[in-house]
Amino acid sequence: MTSTTLSAPSTASTATTAKPRGPEAARARRKRVLHWIAVHSVAIAVALLFILPFVFVFLTSVMSDSQAMSGDLWPSSWHWENYKAVFETDGFLTWWRNSLMYAGLGTLFTVCSAIPVAYALAKFRFRGRRTAMLLVISTMMLPPQVIVIPMYLVWAQQFHLSGTLWPLIIPMAFGDAYSIFLLRQFLLTIPKEYIESARVDGCGEVRTLLKIIVPMAKPGIAAIALFQFFYCWNDYFGPQIYAAQDPGSWTLSYGLESFKSAHMVNWNMTMAATLLVMAPVIVVFFFAQKAFVEGVTLTGVKG
């Protein structure tokens, strides 16, 4: 009697805790999926708004010449040789090399010049510090079209660098207002106790900057580096002004316009070239998005 009495509740609890199977489980899963879609419907719609154009460009890039001109949305056959043909186009690899040089050196010069200036404006106390910061911010309000003519005359007549990308790269070694402002905002979030402790231990300002501040400011540095890389890679106005007369100095953003003019009716080739131009930016952001988002988020903590 005793063993029978004790086993009954155990059987009942097992039955109540068992997971539903069959049609009930399928309905439960379907209900959870529908609930998730309903909760995230706006996010899904926005995601599709951004993703579908890339899908359309990719599908068109692997179509044949005749199908790319039709209204078909799905390729009847996949022509991966379109990408090879783009790479074999005269000048495309040169444009690629010039874009990498422009974006790489421009990003390096901007980061190296912005770090010490932002550190001084954020952590040093000196007369005129606020005025210096206002001057930096005021340069951000000056449209580049205002100074393009005098700057071009200086680089072309005084330094004879027209037809090259150096008039765009060299000024970045002397600071970028937006990068300085963004990094300065980030450095304000670093407690001053770290700097004071380093000074007590005998560190100079340069060593404190390199050993203490730079490692702690990696998210902010990554943010300004990505911003500058994206700007240089996508810059069309600068290469058009300084490098237009020399096709050997064209970048991908400027050369793509010439490519589209030469392949006006070959939309598959144009889409393939467009994807190859966008690919480095997408790859860089994909691998650095965590540091980028963290850096942009923390720059607004203090003012």
Side-chain angles (χ1 to χ4, degrees):
M1 285 294 291
T2 305
S3 60
T4 305
T5 306
L6 292 175
S7 62
S10 176
T11 305
S13 61
T14 304
T16 55
T17 57
K19 294 182 179 180
R21 296 181 179 180
E24 294 183 1
R27 283 195 297 268
R29 286 195 298 269
R30 192 160 50 246
K31 184 178 180 181
R32 287 195 299 268
V33 171
L34 293 176
H35 180 265
W36 186 90
I37 294 175
V39 171
H40 301 88
S41 57
V42 176
I44 294 173
V46 174
L48 290 176
L49 187 65
F50 282 94
I51 293 175
L52 288 179
F54 289 97
V55 174
F56 173 77
V57 171
F58 169 72
L59 293 178
T60 305
S61 69
V62 293
M63 290 181 179
S64 62
D65 293 341
S66 58
Q67 189 180 11
M69 297 294 294
S70 64
D72 296 340
L73 296 178
W74 191 262
S76 57
S77 59
W78 299 76
H79 295 269
W80 300 103
E81 64 273 11
N82 292 341
Y83 291 94
K84 181 181 178 182
V86 170
F87 268 110
E88 292 176 350
T89 302
D90 292 338
F92 192 84
L93 290 179
T94 301
W95 305 341
W96 191 283
R97 185 188 66 242
N98 293 337
S99 293
L100 286 177
M101 183 188 72
Y102 179 25
L105 291 179
T107 302
L108 178 64
F109 289 168
T110 299
V111 170
C112 292
S113 60
I115 289 176
V117 178
Y119 175 61
L121 293 174
K123 298 303 181 181
F124 287 1
R125 295 294 180 265
F126 57 89
R127 182 176 297 179
R129 182 171 65 95
R130 292 185 178 273
T131 303
M133 191 63 209
L134 288 176
L135 288 176
V136 171
I137 296 176
S138 64
T139 59
M140 297 167 55
M141 304 177 185
L142 190 66
Q145 291 80 5
V146 175
I147 61 173
V148 64
I149 294 179
M151 289 299 297
Y152 179 82
L153 294 177
V154 170
W155 289 110
Q157 297 181 0
Q158 301 299 324
F159 297 101
H160 307 287
L161 290 176
S162 60
T164 69
L165 294 173
W166 291 111
L168 301 173
I169 298 174
I170 294 176
M172 297 180 188
F174 299 93
D176 174 70
Y178 180 74
S179 300
I180 292 172
F181 171 75
L182 194 68
L183 187 57
R184 182 250 184 190
Q185 295 300 109
F186 184 89
L187 294 181
L188 288 175
T189 65
I190 298 178
K192 61 181 180 180
E193 287 77 14
Y194 290 101
I195 301 176
E196 294 174 353
S197 299
R199 290 171 179 169
V200 169
D201 292 338
C203 291
E205 296 299 339
V206 176
R207 188 177 178 186
T208 301
L209 174 62
L210 297 178
K211 299 294 184 179
I212 305 298
I213 300 300
V214 171
M216 298 181 67
K218 284 182 179 179
I221 296 174
I224 66 171
L226 285 175
F227 273 127
Q228 193 64 26
F229 183 87
F230 295 160
Y231 167 77
C232 294
W233 188 268
N234 296 318
D235 186 19
Y236 178 86
F237 180 72
Q240 183 186 30
I241 297 298
Y242 291 102
Q245 64 261 35
D246 183 13
S249 298
W250 288 1
T251 60
L252 281 172
S253 58
Y254 187 72
L256 183 61
E257 183 67 27
S258 173
F259 185 90
K260 290 193 296 184
S261 300
H263 299 80
M264 188 175 299
V265 296
N266 303 114
W267 284 106
N268 53 345
M269 301 290 291
T270 301
M271 295 301 180
T274 302
L275 274 182
L276 290 175
V277 172
M278 293 189 299
V281 176
I282 297 174
V283 171
V284 169
F285 182 78
F286 178 79
F287 285 103
Q289 60 179 329
K290 182 179 179 180
F292 175 76
V293 173
E294 183 180 355
V296 173
T297 303
L298 294 178
T299 50
V301 175
K302 288 188 179 182

